[in-house]
Amino acid sequence: MARKQASDRWWFHLHTWIGLKLSILMSFVLITGTLAVFSYEIDWLLNPEMRASESVIEPNWGAAFDTLRAEYPDVDLLSLDRYAGSWFALQAVLNTRWEEIGRLWFDPVTGHLNGSTAWFNVQRFFRMTHRHLMLPTRIGIPIVSALAIPLLLSLISGLMIYKKFWRGFFHLPRTKRKTRIWVGDLHRWLGLWSTWFVLLIVLTSVWYFVEVMGGAAPRFPESAAPATREAVLPATLNGAAINEMVAKARQELPGLSVQRITFPQSPEGKVLVQGALTATLVRPRSNVVTFDPITLEVLGTYRGEDLNIHQRISEMADPLHFGYFGGLWTKAIWFLFGCAMSALSITGCVIYGKRLLPTRRQLSKALA
Amino acid sequence: MNAWAIWWRGHGAWRWVCLGLVTMALVLTVVYEPIALSWTDHGERELAGTTVSLATWGRPDETFEVRLSSKAPFKGELHFAGQREIIDLTDAAELDLRVPDDLTVIEIKLVANDQEATWHLGRRLR
């Protein structure tokens, strides 16, 4: 019995120690991560340039490309993409001659230039602060992803000290009791319901740690080399050629929903048409058709199912961590559970303060 | 002492580690620029019997920082957005060009001995 009590006390101290000592950093990472779920949508609300005039499933990639070449002939085009949804305009990511990264937005139907926005936006703010605290990624990612270990210990210790926790799912917080009681109830209740989510975030964060420490997945299958050329982007590459590549990509991978076209950055480079297909929980770069930008010949093709297990784990991490794999519905779930995790960190702090408050008051009185 | 003060003191030295990282992230957010933090070389031009090269730093915002360097002494005029600057180079010179708000295309021209050389850098993003 005494041994059991000692064990319980040890788990309790571990839970309190982790929750307290890391609360500032953990809360910051959790809150930025939670808001990052809807960061694209926040940018969409803030910037009218990012909005499509009408919701279309298959945008006119070629029209956007032609407009871009006419309006900004001197930029290095990195990619044309549309990730977030059919209500978003097509985005071009580019590099200027003075090496500034920028974004241009095009209407997905007409290709009309809606305008430009800065590279550093709400989405980048939340992504970069959450992912690596704005530090160089080699330093920042290990610091943030290493929080997975205290998070896991916190989860295990929480379950160890919560007696018969499986009975607690439907014990709603007693909101009419004093703060210490109802915040404690809320902490336990949120903790129980978000157990699966905490575990998911722990696993994906451990993967990010492994990835940055050298365990990254091998490169994707290589395609054939394109014909030699002098320019990075041949002058013959126009909107019609882009649309032809998109059509050929759909022939190569029937059902491909094109989400991104990446452009070469050297005269040996290729055009990659990427998107969503049948494989679940992969990024658009897992389904790819590669083209020669001069001949428009298909140089290679692969799909999510062709990747090995290591690559699939790597591809799976982002959709699972970010929650975008099921559209707005899964994002909403991820956001809610992100709020719950953030609340766990904050309510833990309140419990700590409130628990010690009477003790400190008694001590002060005794000393007076 | 209220509950938050107890919480704050309970951290010990860890509060400074955590707060330091969070503060650094926020400070870096303010100073972050999605642009190369170095001189960007825009190439050389043959002009008035010498080779002049142009490099820039940062984006053409209110001002645009440019560096001109030549392989031999060079005298001429720099034309940019309606402004003229006398250039007298023995080796290299750095100058801040004022960028008018309504300027859309960045073009820098050097004139010497009735010859001219132009660096066309393209359209501003905003």
Side-chain angles (χ1 to χ4, degrees), chain A residues 62 188 356:
Chain A
R188 281 185 292 275
L356 288 188

Side-chain angles (χ1 to χ4, degrees), chain A residues 17 20-25 28 71-72 74 94 96-102 104 113 116 118-120 125 128-129 133-135 143 349-350 352-354 356-357 360, chain B residues 1-4 6-8 10-12 14-15 18-19 21-22 24-26 28-29 32 34-36 40 42 56 58-60 64 106 120-126:
Chain A
W17 193 90
L20 174 69
K21 306 288 183 187
L22 296 176
S23 60
I24 297 172
L25 182 60
F28 181 76
E71 300 271 349
Y72 286 85
D74 304 296
L94 51 89
T96 63
R97 291 267 174 94
W98 51 89
E99 294 192 22
E100 176 185 7
I101 307 174
L104 295 176
L113 177 62
S116 65
W119 170 251
F120 194 67
F125 166 74
M128 292 167 77
T129 48
L133 301 169
M134 297 295 295
L135 295 167
I143 293 174
C349 298
V350 175
Y352 178 84
K354 291 282 180 190
L356 288 188
L357 193 57
R360 294 283 169 100
Chain B
M1 194 188 292
N2 66 24
W4 287 111
I6 292 170
W7 165 79
W8 175 244
H11 282 85
W14 282 89
R15 65 185 144 182
C18 294
L19 200 63
L21 284 167
V22 171
M24 190 158 51
L26 295 174
L28 289 172
T29 298
Y32 175 76
I35 195 160
T40 303
H42 297 289
T56 61
R59 70 163 69 87
F64 197 24
I106 302 298
H120 182 83
L121 306 189
R123 187 171 159 187
R124 288 170 84 185
L125 287 178
R126 275 159 289 126

Side-chain angles (χ1 to χ4, degrees), chain B residues 61-72:
Chain B
D61 215 343
E62 285 174 10
T63 59
F64 197 24
E65 200 175 348
V66 303
R67 185 174 68 189
L68 288 164
S69 47
S70 68
K71 290 182 176 169

Side-chain angles (χ1 to χ4, degrees), chain A residues 10-322:
Chain A
W10 187 84
W11 284 116
F12 176 77
H13 282 305
L14 179 70
H15 192 78
T16 310
W17 193 90
I18 292 170
L20 174 69
K21 306 288 183 187
L22 296 176
S23 60
I24 297 172
L25 182 60
M26 191 72 92
S27 299
F28 181 76
V29 171
L30 293 174
I31 292 168
T32 50
T34 301
L35 293 170
V37 173
F38 279 120
S39 56
Y40 281 107
E41 286 74 11
I42 297 170
D43 274 320
W44 184 87
L45 286 170
L46 293 175
N47 300 290
E49 299 91 344
M50 293 177 65
R51 299 172 204 157
S53 62
E54 56 184 288
S55 171
V56 285
I57 304 298
E58 297 298 347
N60 190 342
W61 298 92
F65 183 85
D66 280 339
T67 309
L68 184 134
R69 298 299 275 175
E71 300 271 349
Y72 286 85
D74 304 296
V75 296
D76 293 331
L77 177 60
L78 306 178
S79 65
L80 268 178
D81 56 70
R82 190 176 65 165
Y83 280 141
S86 58
W87 55 93
F88 273 76
L90 283 183
Q91 175 187 227
V93 178
L94 51 89
N95 208 345
T96 63
R97 291 267 174 94
W98 51 89
E99 294 192 22
E100 176 185 7
I101 307 174
R103 304 169 195 267
L104 295 176
W105 298 92
F106 301 91
D107 188 90
V109 181
T110 62
H112 170 75
L113 177 62
N114 289 354
S116 65
T117 57
W119 170 251
F120 194 67
N121 55 10
V122 173
Q123 187 265 332
R124 290 309 301 178
F125 166 74
F126 284 122
R127 177 172 171 80
M128 292 167 77
T129 48
H130 175 72
R131 186 172 177 239
H132 49 92
L133 301 169
M134 297 295 295
L135 295 167
T137 50
R138 288 289 303 173
I139 301 168
I141 295 176
I143 293 174
V144 175
S145 56
L147 289 175
I149 303 303
L151 202 55
L152 179 65
L153 289 173
S154 218
L155 175 68
I156 295 169
S157 55
L159 292 175
M160 295 301 285
I161 56 181
Y162 190 176
K163 302 288 165 238
K164 296 179 181 172
F165 64 82
W166 54 89
R167 291 184 182 172
F169 282 98
F170 299 101
H171 282 174
L172 294 175
R174 291 163 287 176
T175 49
K176 287 182 180 155
R177 304 286 292 273
K178 48 186 192 176
T179 313
R180 159 78 191 84
I181 305 287
W182 79 258
V183 173
D185 285 354
L186 182 68
H187 186 80
R188 281 185 292 275
W189 187 73
L190 288 175
L192 267 186
W193 279 101
S194 52
T195 300
W196 67 275
F197 188 72
V198 176
L199 207 53
L200 183 77
I201 297 302
V202 163
L203 289 174
T204 49
S205 303
V206 166
W207 168 253
Y208 293 138
F209 185 81
V210 169
E211 211 169 35
V212 77
M213 299 312 275
R219 290 166 65 88
F220 288 160
E222 272 296 328
S223 63
T228 50
R229 62 182 193 272
E230 283 186 4
V232 175
L233 269 190
T236 51
L237 193 67
N238 56 17
I242 297 291
N243 283 342
E244 188 180 331
M245 284 192 277
V246 169
K248 278 186 180 176
R250 290 204 189 102
Q251 282 170 11
E252 288 289 320
L253 298 177
L256 180 74
S257 168
V258 178
Q259 292 174 315
R260 189 180 193 210
I261 302 173
T262 67
F263 293 90
Q265 300 308 305
S266 71
E268 299 81 37
K270 308 151 197 170
V271 173
L272 272 63
V273 178
Q274 311 173 333
L277 197 58
T278 47
T280 49
L281 296 176
V282 291
R283 290 178 276 196
R285 65 179 196 173
S286 300
N287 304 297
V288 175
V289 184
T290 310
F291 290 93
D292 184 319
I294 291 184
T295 62
L296 311 185
E297 182 193 343
V298 175
L299 299 174
T301 299
Y302 57 84
R303 52 200 301 159
E305 288 86 347
D306 300 333
L307 305 178
N308 65 32
I309 186 78
H310 195 174
Q311 290 163 327
R312 280 302 287 269
I313 291 170
S314 172
E315 288 307 295
M316 202 185 284
D318 273 7
L320 284 177
H321 195 87
F322 302 173

